[in-house]
Amino acid sequence: MSSQSSQTYEEPYEETPTILSTESGYASGASSQDSLPEVYFSKPHLKFLNAQLQKLEPQDILRWCITSLPGLYQTTSFGLTGLVTLDILSKFDGPLKSQVDLIFLDTLHHFDETLSLIDRVRRRYGTNIHIYRPAGAENADEFVAKHGQKLWETNEELYDYVAKVEPAQRAYSELQVKAVLTGRRRSQGGKRGDLDIIEVDDAGLIKVNPLANWTFAQVKEYIDANNVPYNELLNNGYKSVGDWHSTQPVSQGEDERSGRWKGRAKTECGIHNPKSKYAQFLRQQEMKRQEEGLSQALQQVTLST
């Protein structure tokens, strides 16, 4: 399977002729040759938007996203919240009917139940799903051949980077993503307790959390009421499903995401951590390689003298 599960046709670009006699002096997407800035929010604007969107229901937040954010995609691991978002979008009609493509990061270590759900979602909604995997690996055996056994234990930071962070960055670059819808909610606990509706990461990517205000009970109620397909593992005590090696069922009274990396302080998989954390990690990896190379060179010099 290729890095993307679907191909999207794009009309060939035709340059709009410049009409000097009617040029207004203002840049517009349709008639001006002037370059337009990338999508961005100033801090006061972001604060204002979050204060207003905080009062709205997910349907209204998603309507705002469709009319306001170009290059909009939905990132998903096919958890319940993301499935609610997908179902809400599928019900929009008229001027707001707009298919938002999905981006799925296949770490090559997902449960079979998760992979089976992808096919059911395709059949139900017909949505384009762009699948991205770790570079240079199409299956778990190729991943082991490249990175060794149980990389998530031997070098957790490297695992997060090669399985999740780098594929996400590649997806955003290749698809020209400017904004993404996520499935994060405050009630999931951990660092998500003070989540805003709109965030902007270190790279300028706009992240929208349309169901940030909802509880797990509200999400499950919507799933049941609308017959939305979901991961069968949720019937076995799971509430948040990630890689098979780091996901367990949740006990009564525990946080929704307590089954992820159970017994450890870790609460996020990497793609929602600051980019600077991974820039620092890559620098450390490079310094380590340089030190090892220098050590080997010194050993060779010593042996030859």
Side-chain angles (χ1 to χ4, degrees), residues 22-229:
T22 60
E23 179 60 58
S24 66
Y26 293 93
S28 71
S31 62
S32 176
Q33 298 304 300
D34 294 345
S35 61
L36 295 171
E38 297 288 340
V39 179
Y40 72 95
F41 299 118
S42 65
K43 287 185 178 180
H45 190 193
L46 194 60
K47 185 176 181 180
F48 170 79
L49 285 174
N50 273 312
Q52 301 304 311
L53 294 174
Q54 171 69 24
K55 307 170 187 176
L56 303 181
E57 290 298 316
Q59 289 87 341
D60 299 317
I61 295 172
L62 290 169
R63 289 188 184 99
W64 176 84
C65 290
I66 289 173
T67 58
S68 305
L69 300 175
L72 178 66
Y73 287 76
Q74 180 182 350
T75 58
T76 184
S77 58
F78 296 95
L80 283 186
T81 316
L83 293 167
V84 170
T85 297
L86 175 60
D87 192 76
I88 292 174
L89 289 170
S90 74
K91 290 178 167 60
F92 286 165
D93 208 348
L96 286 175
K97 187 173 181 60
S98 175
Q99 187 180 74
V100 177
D101 286 9
L102 303 180
I103 298 174
F104 173 65
L105 304 180
D106 182 0
T107 65
L108 306 177
H109 298 87
H110 284 289
F111 288 95
D112 289 340
E113 289 85 350
T114 302
L115 301 179
S116 173
L117 176 60
I118 297 174
D119 292 331
R120 286 190 283 143
V121 166
R122 273 204 192 96
R123 291 194 298 270
R124 170 74 175 268
Y125 299 103
T127 305
N128 291 330
I129 304 175
H130 304 272
I131 300 178
Y132 281 79
R133 299 183 176 87
E138 285 294 311
N139 54 57
D141 290 338
E142 291 181 4
F143 189 90
V144 169
K146 185 170 184 179
H147 299 289
Q149 295 282 348
K150 297 184 178 181
L151 181 63
W152 55 90
E153 292 182 2
T154 60
N155 192 333
E156 183 180 55
E157 291 282 3
L158 181 59
Y159 177 79
D160 278 352
Y161 183 80
V162 300
K164 302 166 187 177
V165 177
E166 189 281 329
Q169 292 175 349
R170 183 162 21 102
Y172 299 155
S173 175
E174 291 182 1
L175 299 173
Q176 298 184 22
V177 177
K178 298 293 186 294
V180 294
L181 304 172
T182 87
R184 293 178 296 159
R185 293 180 287 103
R186 296 190 189 98
S187 64
Q188 289 171 324
K191 294 182 179 179
R192 302 185 179 190
D194 57 354
L195 199 64
D196 278 327
I197 303 295
I198 306 178
E199 305 167 298
V200 181
D201 73 8
D202 292 351
L205 180 71
I206 299 166
K207 294 187 175 184
V208 184
N209 311 303
L211 276 79
N213 293 331
W214 275 25
T215 63
F216 180 84
Q218 287 176 293
V219 172
K220 190 63 167 63
E221 181 181 1
Y222 182 99
I223 293 286
D224 294 338
N226 292 274
N227 195 29
V228 178

